[in-house]
Amino acid sequence: MPVVPTKPPNNTGQPVAEAVEGRGTAKGNTDDPTRSGRSAGAGVPSGLDRVREVARKDKEARFTALLHHVTLSRLWAAYVAVNPQAAPGVDKVTWEDYGQDLRANLEDLLQRVHSGAYRAKPTRRAYIPKPDGRMRPLGIAALEDKILQRAVVEVLNAIYEEDFCGFSYGFRPGRSPHDALDALSVAITRKKVNWVLDADISDFFSRLDHVWLEKFLEHRIADKRLLRLIQKWLSAGVIENGDWKETREGSPQGGLCVAAPPCGVPLSRSAMVPSWSCSGAASHRFT
């Protein structure tokens, strides 16, 4: 039986909780197109169809004008998609507080983004235990940074979702680890499989090279304003025990934008293998 949402999505025109998603049964086809996700909120008008078309037809195209796709409606939908119960960042602004004067706040954020006056805030460092007993560092972004990151990820996805292979599942809209396991189950039961490799990149997020990440992005992105915006997030630093620390490498685990080129490039581990073939033996791999 497919897993279905327990309640329908809320109206994206009002400040409401994020929508729930359902998951159907495995269909056995890892090349199915990615379903539209909720990076910036389900149902938000795209305005990115032309970008998707060019990205699909021309794998060498570099996009020079993308930031204008960050609009008020996209920011509004991104706000709706943020978890209302999420912990606040260094500015201690909550989802509910920001929503008290939502339109004015988002219009002000939009003006700062397009005028270049926007400044990314440092992330707040928190730790959660790992299965091996070590502590995993997380970066809790300020609410405005979360909103803007979701909107930017939506724009980047218009390009990179056309570049991803069908066997890639990590950090993609409309896909989840459950979907990857479903596809893996189908593959190993219906196809001849000699071995299964389970691998992980050690300390990937904390050791991410900013220079190489920017090089990956520049393969497809030539919009200098958008690149500078991403650089602001990468260099904003972290606040830990009241002290600011510079971030010369790595990206806060839990940050949305880094979870998005091929995060994800949008900005994720999948960005490390954009040259993999999407056919033949490679189609049995799941990332």
Side-chain angles (χ1 to χ4, degrees):
M1 294 290 293
V3 178
V4 298
T6 57
K7 65 179 184 295
N10 293 303
N11 185 340
T12 58
Q14 301 294 328
V16 291
E18 57 187 327
V20 293
E21 291 182 321
R23 178 173 63 89
T25 55
K27 294 181 172 57
N29 185 358
T30 60
D31 291 323
D32 284 346
T34 303
R35 301 179 298 279
S36 58
R38 59 175 187 179
S39 294
V44 62
S46 172
L48 293 170
D49 290 342
R50 176 59 179 163
V51 174
R52 293 189 184 92
E53 181 182 359
V54 173
R56 181 169 56 252
K57 292 181 178 180
D58 187 353
K59 299 303 181 182
E60 302 298 323
R62 299 180 70 232
F63 295 83
T64 59
L66 291 171
L67 192 61
H68 71 278
H69 289 292
V70 175
T71 61
L72 182 62
S73 62
R74 185 155 281 115
L75 291 175
W76 192 296
Y79 167 81
V80 170
V82 171
N83 181 358
Q85 305 304 320
V90 295
D91 59 359
K92 299 182 180 180
V93 175
T94 67
W95 186 89
E96 185 175 0
D97 293 338
Y98 197 84
Q100 295 300 313
D101 196 4
L102 183 58
R103 178 172 292 276
N105 287 334
L106 292 180
E107 287 177 344
D108 177 67
L109 173 59
L110 184 67
Q111 190 278 329
R112 283 182 280 127
V113 169
H114 287 285
S115 68
Y118 166 81
R119 296 293 180 266
K121 294 181 176 62
T123 57
R124 180 169 64 85
R125 177 71 78 212
Y127 292 89
I128 59 173
K130 299 176 68 173
D132 61 5
R134 294 184 299 164
M135 300 299 287
R136 184 191 305 277
L138 299 180
I140 302 175
L143 182 66
E144 275 199 341
D145 292 334
K146 291 179 182 178
I147 294 170
L148 184 54
Q149 285 176 10
R150 282 184 178 271
V152 169
V153 164
E154 192 79 4
V155 174
L156 292 176
N157 278 341
I159 299 170
Y160 292 112
E161 279 300 310
E162 301 301 329
D163 292 346
F164 275 121
C165 299
F167 57 77
S168 179
Y169 286 82
F171 302 106
R172 295 183 62 185
R175 294 193 174 201
S176 72
H178 297 293
D179 297 315
L181 291 173
D182 284 347
L184 178 61
S185 176
V186 170
I188 62 180
T189 55
R190 297 186 184 180
K191 299 178 183 292
K192 183 178 180 180
V193 177
N194 295 322
W195 49 267
V196 176
L197 175 64
D198 181 11
D200 187 31
I201 302 176
S202 178
D203 296 328
F204 173 82
F205 286 100
S206 61
R207 296 182 179 178
L208 187 66
D209 189 302
H210 292 180
V211 174
W212 277 106
L213 176 59
E214 292 169 13
K215 289 182 182 294
F216 275 121
L217 286 168
E218 288 171 358
H219 282 298
R220 286 295 240 168
I221 311 300
D223 187 329
K224 297 298 184 183
R225 294 196 302 161
L226 185 58
L227 292 173
R228 281 195 296 269
L229 183 58
I230 294 173
Q231 289 167 352
K232 288 180 180 180
W233 287 321
L234 291 172
S235 61
V238 298
I239 298 291
E240 185 171 2
N241 297 325
D243 297 324
W244 179 83
K245 295 182 179 180
E246 185 180 7
T247 49
R248 295 184 177 181
E249 65 176 0
S251 175
Q253 191 163 352
L256 288 164
C257 200
V258 174
C263 70
V265 177
L267 312 169
S268 76
R269 305 176 202 215
S270 303
M272 309 303 291
V273 289
S275 60
W276 278 10
S277 169
C278 292
S279 61
S283 64
H284 302 163
R285 302 176 184 176
F286 303 89
T287 59

